[in-house]
Amino acid sequence: MPGTTLNWIDVDGGFDSGFMNVVVARGPDYTIFFDPEWAEYALDDEDPAAAYGVEYSGILYYGCDEALPGNDDREKIASLKEMSAGEVLELPDLGVSVKVGKESQSNINGLGDITVREYDIHWGGEEAAESELVSVAEEFDVTVKVVWSEGPPSVVAGVALTSAPKPLSLRHASALGNCAALVD
C-alpha cells in the first residue's frame, strides 16, 4: 500500500550499506517507489523524477525519468507470473529477455513467510552482458532481492507496512515524470 517502506541492504563482503524505498502509488500491475536519500542529495539541475521508479508486476523496474513500457508490454510482463519455470519471455520493444525461475519460501521481517519466485532478466537480449536475477514476493508483487551482474546483491531486510494507504501527495504527484501518466 502507499506509505509502505522497504528497507534494503547491499551486501558486500561484510560492508553492508542500506537504503529505503517508499511506496507512493500502486496500480493493478505497478508500484511506484520514492527514494528519499536520492532526493535529499540530488543536485539542483538533476531531474526530480529520477528519485522515483516504477516496478511492473514486481519484476521489471524503470526510473520515472526513463521511457516506460506500453500497455502491450505491460500485459506481457504480467503474464510472467503464469509461466512455468524455464520458460522465456522476449520483449523486443524493450530489449529485454526474462527467464522464469524456481519458487522458494522465505521469511522477511514485516512480511512474514512468503513465496519468492526468481526471474533472470537480460537487458539487451538473451546473451547481453547486463543482467540481473530478481526474486519477487508473489503475494505482494514486489522485488525482495536483486543479484546484479556486477556489484553486491541488494536484499530487502524488512518492510514497514502502513496500516492505511496514504494518498499521493502533491509533492510526489508533481515530480513523477513519466510515471505521472500511470496515476492520472
Side-chain angles (χ1 to χ4, degrees):
M1 278 191 282
T4 294
T5 301
L6 284 77
N7 295 298
W8 287 83
I9 57 171
D10 291 330
V11 183
D12 189 18
F15 299 100
D16 299 341
S17 63
F19 62 97
M20 77 169 65
N21 281 331
V22 179
V23 176
V24 295
R26 188 158 169 100
D29 69 328
Y30 69 86
T31 303
I32 299 174
F33 295 97
F34 171 64
D35 179 347
E37 186 174 337
W38 189 97
E40 181 178 346
Y41 296 106
L43 301 175
D44 289 340
D45 63 342
E46 291 183 279
D47 184 352
Y52 297 85
V54 60
E55 196 171 71
Y56 291 100
S57 300
I59 303 167
L60 291 179
Y61 184 91
Y62 289 84
C64 291
D65 59 338
E66 300 178 84
L68 302 178
N71 289 335
D72 289 344
D73 284 324
R74 287 171 57 186
E75 288 177 19
K76 291 175 185 174
I77 295 166
S79 76
L80 282 162
K81 296 185 290 184
E82 307 304 321
M83 295 173 69
S84 299
E87 290 187 274
V88 176
L89 175 65
E90 299 288 343
L91 299 163
D93 292 343
L94 303 176
V96 177
S97 171
V98 182
K99 182 177 182 181
V100 179
K102 63 181 178 163
E103 287 184 351
S104 61
Q105 298 299 304
S106 187
N107 184 290
I108 294 179
N109 187 22
L111 297 181
D113 293 325
I114 57 171
T115 301
V116 175
R117 189 165 199 185
E118 291 181 345
Y119 296 91
D120 191 5
I121 302 170
H122 296 269
W123 298 92
E126 181 64 38
E127 300 300 321
E130 189 172 342
S131 65
E132 57 196 50
L133 182 64
V134 300
S135 298
V136 177
E138 292 192 332
E139 296 88 345
F140 298 94
D141 285 339
V142 66
T143 296
V144 293
K145 181 179 180 182
V146 181
V147 178
W148 311 97
S149 56
E150 294 181 17
S154 299
V155 297
V156 171
V159 176
L161 294 170
T162 185
S163 58
K166 295 184 179 177
L168 184 63
S169 71
L170 181 59
R171 171 186 174 219
H172 291 305
S174 66
L176 286 178
N178 293 334
C179 293
L182 295 170
V183 295
D184 286 341

